[in-house]
Amino acid sequence: MNKASLPVVPLHTAEEIALARRAGQLAARVLQMIGEHVRPGVSTDELDQRCHDYIVHELQAIPANIGYHGYPKTICASVNHVICHGIPSERKLKQGDIVNIDVALIKDGWFGDTSRMYCVGEPGTLARRLVRTTYEAMGAGILQVRPGATLGDVGHAIQQVAHREGFSVVREYCGHGIGRIYHDEPQVLHYGRPNTGLRLEPGMIFTIEPMLNAGKAATKHLPDGWTVVTRDHSLSAQWEHMVAVTESGCEILTPWPEGYGDYPPILPA
């Protein structure tokens, strides 16, 4: 890729990163809040309403997804074989489900965007391995972020973890720049070759949000125009953090308020 074809990526000041950090931290608080409500018998609509009310009344922020290109809800709730953009509904969660909840909000003009996987009761062995591997893949990508590294380094690290476990990487959907614009440059692919693509610089802010499938990578759009599922009906998982490139490495802007729990820490430089 030559320089002329590379996207123009905003470089943010320390003050601007502080505003993005605040929005990211608030988004992470939403996912902390909703965790105890993810249980058998609860509908994804109920989870959506709880997140909406918490964002508006508790955090004094704006739900970013409502009305975005016509999207009708506050969160995306993607269950089992749904890869992303699952629209909350009256569907009730059941024992053994896995669900990704993706939330975005606006605080003082800045976007915060993050997602987490939740297990409903005790999922099966494959589901647990997929969820943990996808988390590890996200972490491997984040640990590549530093000045002078490339987006190809990030994607390659994610892809290596996925393929090591026999999982596939969804290619149609990617991470993105974020700040005062919800989806900005750069596009952050979750596959790639080392030392290729955009070279990272301090001040860049973007999401890393790999989607891994237990089966093949092929996807299918449902008639609602939003929900994306695995074509072979295999399980899918996704995690998402916002990161900022610093002078020496990177900072996660959407850290979990309660810490890492049962997951290994992601400790970028």
Side-chain angles (χ1 to χ4, degrees):
M1 183 179 289
N2 60 51
K3 286 188 176 180
S5 65
L6 292 174
V8 176
V9 179
L11 299 180
H12 299 90
T13 66
E15 292 76 15
E16 290 172 331
I17 291 174
L19 292 166
R21 181 186 300 116
R22 177 63 174 154
Q25 289 172 340
L26 293 181
R29 282 176 57 186
V30 179
L31 296 184
Q32 178 192 26
M33 176 277 300
I34 203 62
E36 66 179 294
H37 302 288
V38 180
R39 55 181 184 266
V42 173
S43 73
T44 52
D45 241 347
E46 179 181 330
L47 299 177
D48 184 80
Q49 190 62 52
R50 286 184 181 277
C51 289
H52 175 274
D53 293 349
Y54 187 77
I55 291 169
V56 172
H57 302 304
E58 198 73 26
L59 303 182
Q60 304 290 302
I62 300 169
N65 287 331
I66 297 176
Y68 184 74
H69 293 300
Y71 189 77
K73 297 287 185 173
T74 295
I75 63 172
C76 297
S78 302
V79 182
N80 294 337
H81 71 291
V82 178
I83 297 170
C84 60
H85 305 158
I87 301 174
S89 69
E90 295 179 357
R91 170 191 176 148
K92 288 182 168 56
L93 298 174
K94 64 182 186 301
Q95 175 77 22
D97 284 345
I98 58 172
V99 55
N100 175 273
I101 296 179
D102 191 334
V103 65
L105 56 75
I106 307 166
K107 184 69 173 180
D108 299 327
W110 289 79
F111 285 85
D113 183 13
T114 185
S115 83
R116 285 172 70 165
M117 293 299 298
Y118 300 85
C119 296
V120 184
E122 188 61 32
T125 301
L126 176 63
R128 286 199 309 272
R129 187 163 67 88
L130 177 64
V131 167
R132 292 192 73 88
T133 300
T134 308
Y135 173 85
E136 182 186 345
M138 176 186 67
I142 290 172
L143 293 177
Q144 292 297 314
V145 177
R146 64 181 67 89
T150 68
L151 287 180
D153 298 334
V154 174
H156 180 71
I158 291 168
Q159 185 175 347
Q160 278 194 308
V161 173
H163 290 178
R164 181 197 73 204
E165 298 297 323
F167 298 139
S168 59
V169 179
V170 173
R171 293 185 167 230
E172 291 92 335
Y173 303 92
C174 60
H176 53 89
I178 189 169
R180 280 174 288 206
I181 297 173
Y182 192 175
H183 292 90
D184 204 351
E185 295 291 351
Q187 293 189 57
V188 182
L189 303 181
H190 302 121
Y191 59 92
R193 291 182 292 113
N195 202 35
T196 62
L198 181 75
R199 200 160 293 280
L200 304 180
E201 299 179 51
M204 292 180 176
I205 301 175
F206 49 83
T207 69
I208 295 177
E209 48 182 301
M211 288 148 266
L212 304 189
N213 296 344
K216 295 182 179 179
T219 68
K220 183 172 74 172
H221 245 113
L222 295 189
D224 63 25
W226 283 100
T227 307
V228 181
V229 300
T230 55
R231 187 171 288 276
D232 60 8
H233 216 74
S234 63
L235 292 172
S236 188
Q238 178 187 19
W239 297 83
E240 176 184 11
H241 269 313
M242 280 171 59
V243 300
V245 184
T246 65
E247 293 294 335
S248 60
C250 80
E251 177 190 355
I252 296 174
L253 300 180
T254 47
W256 301 350
E258 76 279 27
Y260 290 92
D262 294 333
Y263 291 91
I266 302 170
L267 302 173

